[in-house]
Amino acid sequence: MDALHPRLLVADFGAAFRFYDAVLPPLVGAHLARGSADGPYASWDVGSEGVLALIERSAFAAVTGAGPAGGDAGMLVSRVGDVAAGYGLCLRHGGTAVAPPAPRPAWGPTMHTAHVRDPAGNLWELQSYED
C-alpha cells in the first residue's frame, strides 16, 4: 500500500518519463510499475511501495479545474481506506476542497479520488480502489 508519494504534473511527459526511467533504477532501485513514455501516466515503485508518479498536466487539468498550464508542479498522493471520510477529515481540519470524492474509471476500474489543498496550498490526492 502506498502511504504517501509525490506525483509530478509535467508538460513534456515523454522527456520527464525518459529522465526518471533512466535515473530512478540506479539511484534508488525503483522499477517502472505502470505506464510508458507515451503517457499520460507512469509510476515507479521500490518493492511494492510507490516512490514517484508522473502525469501529463493537461490530462489532470479537468479534475482540479486548473488550466493545462496550471500552477502546481506536483502533489502528494495517499492511498486511504475511505476517500469520502478522508476528504471530510481534511476539510474539518482546515483543508480546502478542490475536487470532491468521485469514481475515476479512466484511471482504474475501481479507482476513487478526492483532492484537497492543505492550509499552505499544497495539493493532495486521496485515493482508494473500491469495489
Side-chain angles (χ1 to χ4, degrees):
M1 180 161 147
D2 302 331
L4 183 69
H5 67 271
R7 179 181 297 153
L8 303 179
L9 308 175
V10 298
D12 187 343
F13 187 90
F17 177 92
R18 288 186 294 279
F19 174 79
Y20 286 107
D21 200 46
V23 303
L24 287 174
L27 289 177
V28 300
H31 66 275
L32 180 64
R34 291 176 273 316
S36 72
D38 296 330
Y41 179 84
S43 64
W44 290 262
D45 293 356
V46 171
S48 63
E49 290 293 315
V51 295
L52 180 70
L54 300 176
I55 190 165
E56 189 172 359
R57 183 180 299 280
S58 62
F60 193 71
V63 174
T64 62
D72 296 300
M75 74 175 88
L76 296 174
V77 179
S78 292
R79 191 169 302 175
V80 298
D82 183 326
V83 169
Y87 181 77
L89 179 69
C90 289
L91 297 183
R92 286 191 305 277
H93 289 278
T96 303
V98 175
R104 304 269 177 230
W107 298 2
T110 61
M111 167 85 63
H112 285 70
T113 68
H115 296 84
V116 298
R117 290 195 183 278
D118 70 15
N122 298 299
L123 187 59
W124 191 7
E125 177 178 291
L126 307 176
Q127 61 174 233
S128 70
Y129 294 88
E130 301 174 8
D131 293 326

